[in-house]
Amino acid sequence: MAKPPNSIGRSMPRSNEGMRLIFSAVVGVMLGYLFGISFPTVNITKLHFPSSIISYIEDRNSGITTQTLLNHAWASANNRKKNNSESNSDEIPKIYVPTNPKGAERLPPGIVVSETDLYPRRLWGDPSEDLTSEPRYLVTFTVGIGQKANIDAAVKKFSDKFTIMLFHYDGRTTEWDEFEWSKRAIHVSVMKQTKWWYAKRFLHPDVVARYDYIFIWDEDLGVEHFNAEKYIELVRKHGLEISQPGLQPDKGLTWQMTKRRGDQEVHKVTEERPGWCTDPHLPPCAAFVEIMATVFSRNAWRCVWHMIQNDLVHGWGLDFALRKCVEPAHEKIGVVDAQWIVHQAVPSLGNQGKSDNGRAPWEGVRARCRKEWGIFQTRLADAEKAYYLERGITPPNSTVV
């Protein structure tokens, strides 16, 4: 009978091989530990791989080896550590520019664009070639379709140096496309809103900053005797920051200050009924224009825009307060007599009101106007009083007319 194989003799080589593997592993761990602590600390999140390495990652057929990749990473880490130690800083400081516009402090100033414009641009081509002209003036009309012919006549008094903007209170915009100029105009449509509601929301000073002058006009103005560019020449000549064309004196109700005088280019003061003007330099005898056809310089509008109240949409009382925005107001607010208009007094927006208790729609609108005037006067007086009291100054009796 054959003898069983010697199992002890066959297991000895396997045992020796296992011991060698364990010993090698232990030695490898120890050497790895000693090797690792001898290197400077490297934060793997701060390793910046060169573009050549990124290309390798994207190209699996590249001949660059893993060792080459690690060598690049190691060199990059060492260079960063050397630069940081020289500057005594572990991180690049974050951007914070307190003089930037509010909310944009974390942006580098070179990328901040704090103002915009109303110039339409193309959807194609080089952006630098979009604008064939850059109008210097803006004219806005708040309109309904019933005054289409009148607005057509008015717009034709403004050259291509003007951006034309229509605010549609009746929601009807497509009917205006019959006019060639309408295709270039900017149309904004919100039902049953006034021009001061539109102005507050769409004519922010940073939006209209490219314009030297902003015309904010009603729709019922006759312009047969008006030329827009000659008007601007006179405004510049006489240093007017807030102005309006003279009104034909025998058409409708108007203040003495805003009536056209036929013997001069511009006037800035007038005489009113006895007792109406406690100071000859205050409204309605000076520093005063109405709000139907007002023209603002860029700087004056920046101030006036902030004074317009969100909820007081008719603007009544604003004309008496415009003087707060220029100094001296009795010299920088005036009426241009040489370029004059006719107020046709068409109550088209008034008819957008609501009948209530048997009253016509315009009656409710007019009642709201009067109420807003009182609210505005109170707010302005309270704001001025609070300003003086916060500074320990006794408020004057009133600076509000």
Side-chain angles (χ1 to χ4, degrees):
M1 178 177 288
K3 293 183 180 180
N6 188 341
S7 61
I8 295 177
R10 296 178 62 182
S11 64
M12 286 298 292
R14 294 181 182 176
S15 176
N16 290 339
E17 183 180 351
M19 290 297 293
R20 282 196 300 271
L21 289 173
I22 293 172
F23 178 76
S24 297
V26 171
V27 172
V29 169
M30 293 179 65
L31 288 175
Y33 173 75
L34 294 174
F35 183 74
I37 63 175
S38 67
F39 278 83
T41 302
V42 178
N43 186 340
I44 194 66
T45 63
K46 296 183 180 179
L47 295 181
H48 292 261
F49 297 99
S51 59
S52 61
I53 302 304
I54 301 301
S55 298
Y56 159 73
I57 295 171
E58 295 175 350
D59 182 6
R60 295 186 178 183
N61 295 323
S62 171
I64 299 177
T65 65
T66 303
Q67 185 60 47
T68 304
L69 177 65
L70 292 175
N71 286 344
H72 275 286
W74 180 248
S76 176
N78 276 337
N79 288 336
R80 281 179 55 81
K81 183 171 183 181
K82 180 179 179 181
N83 292 337
N84 286 342
S85 63
E86 290 176 356
S87 62
N88 296 320
S89 174
D90 292 331
E91 296 183 1
I92 297 175
K94 293 182 178 180
I95 293 174
Y96 189 84
V97 186
T99 55
N100 277 358
K102 185 178 180 181
E105 295 87 353
R106 291 177 175 81
L107 298 177
I111 199 62
V112 173
V113 181
S114 59
E115 297 176 347
T116 185
D117 57 61
L118 293 171
Y119 303 151
R121 292 182 175 270
R122 302 178 301 176
L123 303 182
W124 64 92
D126 189 331
S128 65
E129 299 174 355
D130 282 350
L131 303 178
T132 57
S133 66
E134 297 184 21
R136 297 177 56 190
Y137 317 113
L138 171 67
V139 57
T140 74
F141 295 94
T142 303
V143 302
I145 198 64
Q147 292 296 311
K148 185 170 64 171
N150 199 55
I151 293 298
D152 178 49
V155 167
K156 290 176 180 176
K157 293 289 185 174
F158 296 87
S159 70
D160 58 5
K161 294 180 181 179
F162 289 79
T163 294
I164 308 298
M165 191 171 191
L166 300 189
F167 298 131
H168 299 269
Y169 60 74
D170 60 357
R172 299 174 66 178
T173 60
T174 56
E175 289 94 332
W176 296 82
D177 287 346
E178 67 177 87
F179 304 121
E180 187 62 30
W181 58 260
S182 179
K183 299 173 185 177
R184 302 187 303 272
I186 297 171
H187 297 262
V188 180
S189 178
V190 183
M191 292 289 291
K192 298 181 183 294
Q193 300 302 320
T194 72
K195 72 176 182 180
W196 298 110
W197 183 92
Y198 283 111
K200 185 65 173 179
R201 287 150 183 86
F202 298 101
L203 300 182
H204 187 281
D206 289 342
V207 173
V208 299
R210 300 291 291 272
Y211 300 109
D212 295 341
Y213 294 94
I214 298 100
F215 291 59
I216 303 181
W217 280 22
D218 288 352
E219 63 181 339
D220 58 343
L221 303 175
V223 293
E224 181 181 354
H225 306 284
F226 179 81
N227 180 287
E229 293 192 40
K230 290 181 179 179
Y231 180 92
I232 289 177
E233 289 177 7
L234 292 171
V235 164
R236 293 187 191 277
K237 176 181 177 180
H238 293 275
L240 298 179
E241 297 289 320
I242 302 175
S243 64
Q244 74 162 79
L247 296 175
Q248 184 170 324
D250 59 346
K251 293 289 185 180
L253 299 175
T254 183
W255 298 91
Q256 289 296 324
M257 177 65 183
T258 55
K259 290 181 179 179
R260 172 185 177 248
R261 298 178 184 177
D263 57 347
Q264 51 192 299
E265 290 183 334
V266 166
H267 72 270
K268 302 178 182 180
V269 295
T270 193
E271 292 184 1
E272 266 290 357
R273 299 177 186 179
W276 278 30
C277 298
T278 57
D279 186 322
H281 288 165
L282 292 180
C285 287
F288 175 76
V289 292
E290 297 187 65
I291 58 173
M292 71 177 71
T294 324
V295 180
F296 302 93
S297 71
R298 180 193 301 108
N299 291 335
W301 177 246
R302 183 167 289 277
C303 172
V304 172
W305 183 90
H306 285 89
M307 189 164 55
I308 299 171
Q309 307 292 288
N310 287 326
D311 58 331
L312 306 183
V313 297
H314 290 287
W316 277 38
L318 189 63
D319 41 10
F320 281 84
L322 295 175
R323 63 189 178 88
K324 305 288 184 181
C325 287
V326 292
E327 182 66 33
H330 65 278
E331 294 181 7
K332 295 188 176 182
I333 299 178
V335 175
V336 178
D337 299 290
Q339 296 297 320
W340 50 284
I341 59 176
V342 177
H343 185 208
Q344 298 167 340
V346 178
S348 49
L349 181 59
N351 291 333
Q352 296 290 310
K354 181 181 178 181
S355 299
D356 186 32
N357 295 326
R359 295 192 304 175
W362 69 266
E363 292 182 277
V365 172
R366 181 55 60 92
R368 166 77 180 247
C369 291
R370 294 193 182 97
K371 185 174 184 178
E372 286 191 8
W373 191 353
I375 294 172
F376 180 77
Q377 285 184 304
T378 300
R379 285 184 188 174
L380 184 54
D382 288 348
E384 290 189 344
K385 181 178 179 181
Y387 172 85
Y388 289 117
L389 291 177
E390 287 173 2
R391 287 156 180 76
I393 303 171
T394 302
N397 290 334
S398 176
T399 62
V400 180
V401 177

